[in-house]
Amino acid sequence: MPSSLPTSLAVSDAITHYRQLCELTIDELAYVLLMLDYPISADALAEMERCARPVTVDDLVAIAYVLDTTPAVLLSHIPIDMPEPEGPLATGLPGDIDQVELRAWLEGKTTLDRESRVGWWKERVARLRVRSAHHEEQLQGAYAELRELGDLALQEADAPPVQRLQRRIQDGEHALNQSEVALALTEHRLDNLREDI
């Protein structure tokens, strides 16, 4: 009977995803595992990918190694076609843990007690503030270069250096916008965690 638990679904989809990224067929993956003295048949791998067979811890480690990734990546994978999850991303965990926090926990970078979570999110806010400030500084530098060109920038708008500068400005605006959105969402998440204490 196929499992519908979130961690099982994540690992099943991750095996398929990373196997395809490595451009391996199921038979090729089975062969490489056999060469590593950890035989898993192609049929068993296919069942794992369909979530019809459980993936043991040993399977997880061996498959992650062959697929040039880590067990933490496979465990924290979110299928691309997965709708907004209604519950937790991993079996038995609180529903408000996102993929980045889940990965940090799996990699031993944080624990999931409330105090540690608040501290981890504070660090994340601080990093995002630094990133936003960096993007702002880079963008202001590009604007200053454009101002220095003055009318020449308009007259030579098709010139490669002017086009590169315009692309830098456009990319900088996009990066700044993305980092500001991420910062706002992260600050909101931190505020929610603090309220729950």
Side-chain angles (χ1 to χ4, degrees):
M1 177 176 177
S3 174
S4 60
L5 294 172
T7 304
S8 295
L9 293 172
V11 171
S12 292
D13 190 76
I15 292 170
T16 303
H17 176 77
Y18 286 95
R19 177 181 58 75
Q20 290 171 345
L21 280 179
C22 291
E23 299 181 355
L24 292 172
T25 65
I26 288 178
D27 289 325
E28 290 167 336
L29 177 56
Y31 178 76
V32 175
L33 288 164
L34 177 64
M35 293 297 98
L36 292 173
D37 290 327
Y38 192 78
I40 303 176
S41 72
D43 289 339
L45 287 167
E47 289 176 354
M48 288 176 191
E49 288 189 4
R50 288 193 317 271
C51 210
R53 177 187 182 120
V55 179
T56 69
V57 175
D58 294 312
D59 297 340
L60 182 74
V61 171
I63 291 168
Y65 175 73
V66 171
L67 298 179
D68 196 28
T69 189
T70 67
V73 168
L74 297 181
L75 288 165
S76 62
H77 175 78
I78 297 177
I80 193 79
D81 60 351
M82 182 180 189
E84 187 67 31
E86 294 180 15
L89 292 178
T91 309
L93 297 183
D96 67 338
I97 293 174
D98 72 358
Q99 185 184 28
V100 177
E101 188 176 13
L102 173 60
R103 177 87 52 88
W105 176 69
L106 289 167
E107 293 174 349
K109 295 177 182 173
T110 188
T111 59
L112 295 181
D113 63 273
R114 186 66 59 197
E115 185 178 324
S116 295
R117 289 188 70 201
V118 168
W120 188 83
W121 281 93
K122 280 182 184 177
E123 281 183 35
R124 200 165 166 188
V125 165
R127 286 192 308 270
L128 286 169
R129 284 185 179 144
V130 169
R131 182 179 298 159
S132 287
H134 171 75
H135 289 312
E136 176 69 30
E137 184 179 304
Q138 294 296 311
L139 184 58
Q140 291 306 320
Y143 283 143
E145 286 180 44
L146 187 62
R147 281 191 301 275
E148 286 176 17
L149 290 175
D151 290 340
L152 186 60
L154 295 173
Q155 295 167 359
E156 301 291 330
D158 291 341
V162 175
Q163 289 180 340
R164 280 192 297 273
L165 182 57
Q166 291 289 359
R167 277 194 301 277
R168 260 183 54 212
I169 290 171
Q170 186 178 20
D171 291 346
E173 288 171 343
H174 178 74
L176 179 59
N177 182 48
Q178 293 296 313
S179 65
E180 287 177 345
V181 167
L183 177 59
L185 290 171
T186 304
E187 287 173 333
H188 178 71
R189 186 66 171 274
L190 177 59
D191 290 342
N192 286 344
L193 274 172
R194 286 177 171 153
E195 288 174 9
D196 290 343
I197 293 180

